[in-house]
Amino acid sequence: MSTPLITIAVERRDDEDIWILLTLDRLPSEPWQLHFCLGRQVDASSLQGGELIHQSGTYKVIAPHAGSRQLALCCRKTAFKHLTDMPQGFFLSLPESQDGPQIIPVTVASQELGLESPAATQPELAEVDSEHGIVPQPRRLVRVEGSYFRLAERAHVKGPGNLTVLLGHFNELTSLALEQDHDAEITLLHASLADEAYRLHITPQGVEIAAAGTAGWRHGLVSLAQWYLQHGESLPCIEIEDEPRFNLRVIHLDCGRHFQSMASLKRLLKQMSLYKFNRFHWHLTDDEGWRLEIKAFPALTEVGAWRGHGLAVGPQLSGGAARYGGFYSQAEARDLVQYAANLGIEVIPEIDIPGHCHAAIKALPDLLVEPGDHSRYLSVQFFDDNVLNPTLPGTYQFLNQVMDEVCELFPSTLVHMGGDEVPHGVWTDSPACQALMQQQGYRDIRELQGHLLRHCQDYLAAKGRQMVGWEEVLQGDKVGKEAIICAWTSFQAGLDAASQGYPVLMAAAQYLYLDLACNDNIDEPGLYWAGTPNLEQVYSCDPAPADFHANDNILGVLSPLWSELVHTRDRLDYMLFPRMLATAEVAWSLPSDKDWAHFCARLPGQLAILDQQQVRYRTPQR
């Protein structure tokens, strides 16, 4: 039988509604159902030519009317602006035979978004001559004109103690091959400096890096590596005095939506180290997948780590009938933690609760579902069954054992417990939740979220851990002010939390979310609900105004990469770079040391480094 074909067209009606028109050809003679993924909610009553029989998250199933080969469906009050908005992952299912389910892939013959890209792309970089430089920009850098030092590819380092680990992982960042030896071209010196501060002097006689210890020496070696990768063995002499603006400089990667291999994670950690990030926020669970082995609950990874046709977690996001997913064993998690530590990076794990728990609930329904709960809700990502119940004994059994194992695996004092995007309507028709509210004297349903998160905060505190959460953990007014707040809706939300006395990580989506598209071109991949921040907008943002009265409560900067659309390593590279270089400078450099034109001048040298590392970055337009 020929492969079925589908043609997709998008129409805008009434300025707010999007209609998707699907035309199928080469259809089988047997009855069929159409399956696909779409990041929008379909109005079931709008469907023409068929009936919507299932939608959960992005996964949709349509049964056609007899003889129909054209379908029309409406998504109310939404927008389609980029090709990555289009439905995908199409397949047909036929009645089950003696051999099991019959699945037929569908080929997209054509798709028409109904928009045209801008006729001409505006230049994205300042028109300046390129020059070699360091990213992030140091506090002070002076170039000694006319003086050079030749640093061989195999160079010797002299310094206190055993530098094997430091040098070994440094060598992974560059073509240099540094070895500890007393006959040294590079000398590491002790100095009374702040923990991460360093001084780097390249003179005609050699290289000296002064610091208080390993963290500062590592940063000095990284700056030396960037200088070497741009200049080769003949290094211009420079003097650098440097230290970070913020103590926490964080890259976040969502591995729940799309699984990333250990090789890709280690590659990202090396890239982070090269640009002086010191925390990796590992988003390990979400509606679409549970990614961490928990020995107390094998079903979390046996069931919750996989999605596909006929599985407990259906096809989602990029779609398709095939079984897709993966998880990290506890041995792999420990290995990654150690690998990151050797690069000067601490891994912060995230177990996202009480929302974003569709995969966990599907894996452990006997533990996590209250049969009498008839609450009706819809999450931002269109799930109606993704929130933990804060009254069930099973919820606390589940959370306590997960937190026990997470604390054993991850030595970080910080554990992120999510807390974001709990939808309206949840718990309102749960007898157990209503009884708990009456017992505790709660008046606002959000207090139940605070009730659950306060339990997690206290449980972690007893283990010497500090809870981190997205800004919604403040809802319900139960979480103590030791909790670190990740402010994602705006910088103002972070300033407000800091004013209330909470420690804050700034993660304003409008500037720091790396999954957003870079511009409005329809071919540009990415989301755009918080805008389309270009490189200059990212670079120019300031998370902590100098006159803000509670600046000490702003701990640092968090740049998240959510992975709904990040299904390959090339897409990972494309979304990260070069904007990650801009966020590195936002997190490290003082506003007075930042200059957009100077960053543009330094960028070509940095892109050449990424070329050497085979990073498939997005090329900014000049």
Side-chain angles (χ1 to χ4, degrees), residues 49 82 93 144 151 161 222 238 251 319 325 346 359 366 371 403 427 449 469 484 527 538 552 580:
H82 295 246
S93 63
V144 182
L151 182 65
V222 162
I238 53 173
I251 291 294
E346 182 180 299
D366 293 342
M403 287 188 285
W427 307 318
Q449 174 172 318
I484 296 176
L527 304 178
V538 174
D552 289 346
M580 197 173 102

Side-chain angles (χ1 to χ4, degrees), residues 73-88:
L73 49 108
C74 180
C75 303
R76 304 289 182 192
K77 297 182 179 180
T78 188
F80 270 49
K81 296 182 179 180
H82 295 246
L83 290 175
T84 49
D85 293 337
M86 298 293 272
Q88 54 189 312

Side-chain angles (χ1 to χ4, degrees), residues 185-208:
E185 292 88 1
I186 302 171
T187 302
L188 306 184
L189 302 171
H190 269 300
S192 297
L193 298 173
D195 183 48
E196 292 191 273
Y198 69 94
R199 291 196 300 262
L200 168 63
H201 290 180
I202 303 176
T203 71
Q205 290 73 44
V207 178
E208 288 186 351

Side-chain angles (χ1 to χ4, degrees), residues 96-137:
E96 191 163 328
S97 69
Q98 292 181 345
D99 298 326
Q102 298 185 76
I103 303 299
I104 303 174
V106 175
T107 298
V108 176
S110 67
Q111 55 182 7
E112 178 56 55
L113 184 55
L115 286 177
E116 293 185 5
S117 289
T121 303
Q122 296 295 319
E124 298 176 61
L125 302 178
E127 291 294 332
V128 292
D129 293 332
S130 64
E131 63 178 72
H132 296 311
I134 309 297
V135 171
Q137 175 65 18

Side-chain angles (χ1 to χ4, degrees), residues 132 148-153 174-176 202 224-236 612:
H132 296 311
Y148 294 85
F149 172 71
R150 184 181 181 279
L151 182 65
E153 185 175 320
T174 174
S175 56
L176 284 169
I202 303 176
L224 175 63
Q226 289 190 25
W227 202 241
Y228 178 89
L229 288 168
Q230 293 175 81
H231 289 278
E233 294 185 355
S234 184
L235 298 180
Q612 294 174 45

Side-chain angles (χ1 to χ4, degrees), residues 324-493:
Y324 167 84
F327 66 92
Y328 307 102
S329 70
Q330 294 200 354
E332 288 175 319
R334 287 191 179 95
D335 176 56
L336 194 76
V337 165
Q338 186 59 58
Y339 186 87
N342 292 338
L343 289 168
I345 297 170
E346 182 180 299
V347 179
I348 302 171
E350 181 181 357
I351 305 297
D352 198 354
I353 63 119
H356 291 280
C357 285
H358 175 78
I361 291 169
K362 288 295 185 181
L364 301 170
D366 293 342
L367 205 62
L368 301 179
V369 174
E370 178 193 1
D373 184 0
H374 301 294
S375 305
R376 296 177 62 85
Y377 60 87
L378 193 66
S379 76
V380 175
Q381 288 82 20
F382 314 119
F383 288 94
D384 58 8
D385 56 356
N386 76 332
V387 184
L388 296 181
N389 187 310
T391 64
L392 297 181
T395 295
Y396 295 90
Q397 179 188 347
F398 163 69
L399 287 175
N400 292 353
Q401 291 185 274
V402 167
M403 287 188 285
D404 286 345
E405 295 193 31
V406 165
C407 288
E408 286 186 10
L409 288 171
F410 296 91
S412 173
T413 59
L414 306 181
V415 176
H416 202 298
M417 296 303 294
D420 61 319
E421 297 184 328
V422 174
H424 293 289
V426 70
W427 307 318
T428 54
D429 198 6
S430 158
C433 288
Q434 295 304 310
L436 179 63
M437 289 187 68
Q438 185 174 6
Q439 175 190 337
Q440 296 291 331
Y442 296 159
R443 297 181 177 275
D444 186 337
I445 201 77
R446 291 290 170 185
E447 292 184 86
L448 292 174
Q449 174 172 318
H451 181 95
L452 184 62
L453 289 169
R454 184 60 196 235
H455 167 82
C456 293
Q457 183 178 22
D458 291 343
Y459 196 89
L460 289 170
K463 293 177 172 292
R465 302 304 206 275
Q466 185 176 9
M467 190 178 80
V468 187
W470 302 106
E471 65 190 59
E472 293 96 321
V473 300
L474 298 177
Q475 296 174 357
D477 195 27
K478 299 286 186 293
V479 170
K481 291 186 176 175
E482 302 78 19
I484 296 176
I485 307 304
C486 297
W488 64 275
T489 60
S490 66
F491 284 140
Q492 188 59 51

